[in-house]
Amino acid sequence: MHSILEDRHGRKASYLRVSVTDRCNLRCTYCAGAGDFIPHPDILRYEEILDFMDMAHRMGIEKVRFTGGEPFVRKGFGDFLIEAASRFPDMELCVTTNGTLIGGEIDRLAAAGVKRLNISLDTMDPEKFTRITKRDLFGRVRDAIDHCLDAGMVVKVNAVAMRGINDDELPAFVDFARARPLDVRFIEFMPVGLENGWQDSAVWRAADILAEASKVAELTPVNLDECPQHGPARMFTIAGGLGRLGVISPYSDHFCDTCNRLRLTSNGNLRTCLFSDKVYRLRPALRHPKLGLPAVEKIIGKASRHKPLGHELLERKPKNQGVCQTRMASIGG
Ligand code: SAM
């Protein structure tokens, strides 16, 4: 009998985000920050992640998103995805990527049934892309998005919504979504990490995005009951367009009450809330010759019960400082 991942507030965890590496080939101003990388021996091996997923699935996890750092930076990640897809055919498997390294992988991933990709792209302007990411790779991301669509993948483009950075680009994003069968989603800049330029005034709020978007397009809300894949996003169709536009508002209109997420970092730490620095170290138990997965299961059961209401942490934050001090790149977003 497996523990059920339910907390004291009646929330059940069914969605696990797995960071497979804390390394990334981009240096996004709002994300990377300073910090040492996790030494290789401390990173969970693919086999350990698969065993963990097997246990998590039996505990009620239905959806797994692989993230990083940049997951495709890790050697063998494509093969790992294909293995995960064949081992867990009844779990929903998704990937969050910056799209710069997937060009050569797309067709074989699509053929293996790995079809749900979130691609991060914060600007439609190649020069601004280089300023934000410190890499001249805009064209590669744009090409990858179109290649994924051609391969029949379900693509969501995620942009971090930042005042003074990309708040002048709504028309370009709307045009992009209008011309392609994909979702473009703006995610409010979150107070996670240090020295990443976060402050209250840098958050381009969802309500403002929608008000401004309504001036450049006729938007109709999507009934999310008919579209359960969207989690906390509010989505809108664009009149005359192929794609949709949406907002995710973890900051201005938190969705902690319905949070169903757990996070496993690449070094085997469990996090029950993105807005908390509290971690549960699973790797020592996982690698212990006498403990292993049964001990890990107990830790997760206990950790899940104490999952905090993240908005209480948000409300206590100073206006110019992250609530969680860990780099987003090492948590996985
Ligand atoms: N490298 C992959 C990528 O670029 O999508 C996966 C990891 S990245 C940490 C996951 C997501 O977190 C990206 O969409 C990124 O833009 C987002 N992110 C990073 N820092 C953020 C912040 N402070 N607020 C909101 N989103 C953030």
Side-chain angles (χ1 to χ4, degrees), residues 5 28 66 83-84 130 171 221 237 240 258 284 294 313 315 318 320:
L5 299 171
C28 300
F66 299 106
E83 168 75 21
T130 307
T237 56
T258 54
L313 304 170
E315 278 149 19
N320 58 354

Side-chain angles (χ1 to χ4, degrees), residues 139-332:
R140 262 211 230 167
V141 183
R142 283 285 298 262
D143 290 349
I145 291 171
D146 287 332
H147 189 163
C148 288
L149 292 172
D150 290 343
M153 289 184 167
V154 178
V155 179
K156 294 177 191 168
V157 170
N158 291 334
V160 181
M162 295 171 283
R163 279 284 180 211
I165 306 285
N166 56 4
D167 59 345
D168 56 341
E169 291 198 56
L170 254 180
F173 275 104
V174 168
D175 284 347
F176 187 74
R178 218 184 240 127
R180 293 169 178 78
L182 48 66
D183 288 348
V184 168
R185 311 182 314 167
F186 286 98
I187 304 182
E188 287 174 344
F189 188 10
M190 287 188 267
V192 175
L194 293 175
E195 292 164 21
N196 61 354
W198 188 90
Q199 52 185 323
D200 187 64
S201 60
V203 182
W204 184 17
R205 286 172 163 69
D208 296 338
I209 297 170
L210 291 179
E212 290 162 40
S214 313
K215 291 182 196 153
V216 291
E218 194 185 321
L219 301 178
T220 308
V222 173
N223 181 353
L224 290 188
D225 295 339
E226 292 160 18
C227 185
Q229 307 288 8
H230 278 284
R234 276 176 286 154
M235 297 305 303
F236 299 81
T237 56
I238 304 168
L242 295 173
R244 304 185 296 188
L245 197 75
V247 288
I248 304 179
S249 50
Y251 183 65
S252 66
D253 186 13
H254 57 75
F255 34 84
C256 305
D257 292 342
T258 54
C259 180
N260 60 352
R261 300 170 183 204
L262 294 177
R263 292 176 164 84
L264 179 68
T265 63
S266 54
N267 56 344
N269 285 341
L270 183 79
R271 288 178 169 262
T272 57
C273 174
L274 184 57
F275 299 133
S276 166
D277 280 309
K278 169 115 185 117
V279 298
Y280 299 84
R281 294 171 65 235
L282 304 181
R283 198 181 71 242
L286 188 67
R287 291 191 177 165
H288 191 285
K290 294 203 178 115
L291 296 175
L293 284 171
V296 171
E297 182 183 330
K298 280 198 190 123
I299 302 172
I300 302 175
K302 191 166 162 215
S304 308
R305 273 193 295 287
H306 292 90
K307 181 176 164 74
L309 280 173
H311 57 81
E312 291 174 354
L313 304 170
L314 269 177
E315 278 149 19
R316 271 188 253 137
K317 86 181 161 52
K319 281 276 182 209
N320 58 354
Q321 209 180 296
V323 270
C324 163
Q325 312 212 332
T326 315
R327 295 181 312 136
M328 193 71 114
S330 64
I331 304 174

